[in-house]
Amino acid sequence: MPNLLLELRSEEIPARMQRKAAGDLKKLVTDALVEAGLSYEGAREYWTPRRLALDIHGLTARSADVREERKGPRTDANEKAIEGFLRGAGLSSVSEAQVVSDPKKGDFYVAVISKPGRATEEIVTDIMPGIIRDFPWPKSMRWGKASSKPGALRWVRPLQSIVCTFGPEHEETTVIPFEIDGITASNITYGHRFHAPEPITVRRFDDYAANLEKAKVILDAERRKDIILHDARDIAFANGLELVEDEGLLEEVSGLVEWPQVLMGSFEEDYLSIPSEIIRLTIKTNQKCFVTRKQGEETLSNKFILVSNIQASDGGKEIVHGNGKVVRARLSDALHFWKRDQGNLPDLETLTASAAKFGLDINKPLDQRMAKLDALDVTFHAKLGTQGARVARIRTLAKELADITGADAALVDRAAVLAKADLRTEAVGEFPELQGLMGRKYAVLQGEDASVAAAIEDHYKPQGPSDRVPEDKVAITTALADKLDTLIGFWAIDEKPTGSKDPFALRRAALGVVRILLERKVRLPLRATTKDIDLLSFFHDRLKVYLRDQGARHDLIDAVLTPDADDLLMVARRVEALTAFITSEDGKNLLSGTKRATQLLAAEEKKGTVIADGVSPALLKLDAEKELFAAISSASKDASDAVAGEDFRSAMEALSKLRGPVDRFFEDVLVNDEDAAIRANRLALLRLIREATGTVADFSKISG
């Protein structure tokens, strides 16, 4: 079957957009082909900085003929109805329609619409201009003389050429020469901008990819990444070092080059006095280079690894020299920031009021930055006030939480006061992603307690499902206060997440609270802390997500989670115990009997059947019901005592003793006895089963 090759070549596409754009191209083209009646065996997308390519193999040569019967109105319908039918079916008169008789409905018109199949070349010619013109780039531009005209083509960068060939795997291919804004598709492409600028004639994907590689273009982005990674590891190892790997940077760099050449540069060792995190970010952000470290050590070396797009005749010496000059200049700036942040601010006299408000030591650099943050009235949110006001709220909340977490109150207060101070440091101003981390480093330098320093860094954590959770009690307390203040505040001003929109990362904050409470075993009454039922429900949603990710069944979570449950740790423990119980043989059988009891009871309640207020032992006539009543009385007490002691496994074991009596009850006892009093008493017995199991879970919500 034929294959289709498509290439859209342009000026350099931003690296961050390439992978998604190639995926979008694949989806748009294949969806359009299928919608037009074609089928294909497989498709794969490719991308480099200057091209998006698509290889579709096993594509049918033409779409199938289509025959459609469209039912119309009765033959005696009014004229307008018949005219509308003819228009919709594309018929010029009723003589072109068939008349079909129905014994019940009478005679009515039917239009038989036949659509002959179309050649794939014709379909591609029709669909491609629209796909290119409406391509979903995050940002696009117009260029050249045509850009002044209405409706001019927009593309991420100027589009230069299009390749579109179609044909069998082992025969000649044809060009599908569709046109858009003066660019006509052909079988001509170009290789590396500098190494191979001559035109290349291609037929199909295999020779296209091979010819590009001869022209110094590696089409496969994953292969470029692999080359960069392994060459970088090798050159580091050859110099007695190891590469500090960075997947995000590797992805970006592979999108900057078509012919990757890995080189090593260096900078003066004096710059190693700067924290490693700053060095790494400086080199990564400004020059897209990797850093290295001595093998088996954490501290960085003064060697960095760069990736060039040019195979230079001098072995890359000038490229390394040029990159080294920029790296040294940026590290010089970073060293300046690092030293400035450890010194005094020039306007200390203006900070005394703020220092007094938060009990700050104006002689300490980090304290000065917190005072500056407050004195400047830096806005946190228009409706929630300044950063200073927010720190005051976090401080108050952290004090309350310290009683629950058992953290040292004085250390918690100090951590809460200094947590946001590094927002006013020059290092964080240059690299916002270092907030918290730099605060910790500056706190250590000015002699803060280790727990306070750790809390300053960790109060932002966890920032996602894979991020680590704070361990120190001071850090746990400060992190909870920070996240809860955010959630309480945004709930108060009705800025809640909606659908997929969550601009203030409130889902992440709530998941962070859930992870801290469960993974650090903190018992926090959320409803009393947040004073908001709707927010409690939001926490429940995040808890469900977390527990499901941990492997818990959704029905077991629903069986345990009541609307007013605000001790999430206890909910998780109940789910864990219920999961273990319900998978045991006793659990499965008890669930079956319990569901039968609750369903029967619910049906009678719905009908309004009289149910006794309590079980009367005198009305228990059969041994099976007497045995069940005794078993329920014993199991209920044991289960309640176990729940009160938060021993949910024992509570489940107590309930498991009901299995035999419940089974015998349904074998030997007719609940709907003719005697109304006996019937009401037996229904009351069923209600006791529901109440007993309800001490640990709502068994009616458990599937199976």
Side-chain angles (χ1 to χ4, degrees), residues 117-188:
R118 293 197 299 160
T120 297
E121 293 93 325
E122 181 184 341
I123 292 172
V124 172
T125 298
D126 281 353
I127 67 172
M128 283 311 305
I131 289 173
I132 294 172
R133 192 174 291 281
D134 300 327
F135 201 81
W137 292 109
K139 291 183 178 180
S140 56
M141 62 180 288
R142 293 178 295 177
W143 63 93
K145 294 180 180 179
S147 64
S148 61
K149 299 177 183 177
L153 174 65
R154 299 183 67 93
W155 195 248
V156 63
R157 294 292 185 270
L159 190 61
Q160 296 176 326
S161 68
I162 301 172
V163 167
C164 189
T165 65
F166 180 67
E169 188 173 354
H170 301 296
E171 298 175 23
E172 282 304 310
T173 58
T174 59
V175 173
I176 304 179
F178 65 85
E179 186 269 341
I180 179 167
D181 272 30
I183 303 173
T184 302
S186 69
N187 59 352
I188 303 296

Side-chain angles (χ1 to χ4, degrees), residues 86-104:
L86 294 175
R87 262 195 319 272
L91 304 181
S92 57
S93 70
V94 290
S95 63
E96 296 179 3
Q98 296 180 4
V99 177
V100 177
S101 297
D102 186 306
K104 295 182 179 179

Side-chain angles (χ1 to χ4, degrees), residues 568-599:
L568 303 190
L569 180 59
M570 288 301 99
V571 171
R573 287 179 175 174
R574 282 174 182 259
V575 171
E576 181 184 0
L578 183 59
T579 300
F581 176 65
I582 217 66
T583 54
S584 69
E585 199 60 34
D586 279 347
K588 291 175 185 176
N589 289 318
L590 177 61
L591 174 63
S592 176
T594 300
K595 293 193 81 167
R596 183 176 176 184
T598 54
Q599 287 168 356

Side-chain angles (χ1 to χ4, degrees), residues 9-37:
R9 190 177 63 89
S10 68
E11 293 290 337
E12 275 72 5
I13 305 166
R16 68 184 183 280
M17 298 182 186
Q18 293 168 18
R19 183 180 290 271
K20 183 179 184 303
D24 287 342
L25 180 64
K26 174 183 173 182
K27 186 176 190 312
L28 290 168
V29 173
T30 54
D31 284 357
L33 293 174
V34 170
E35 189 175 342

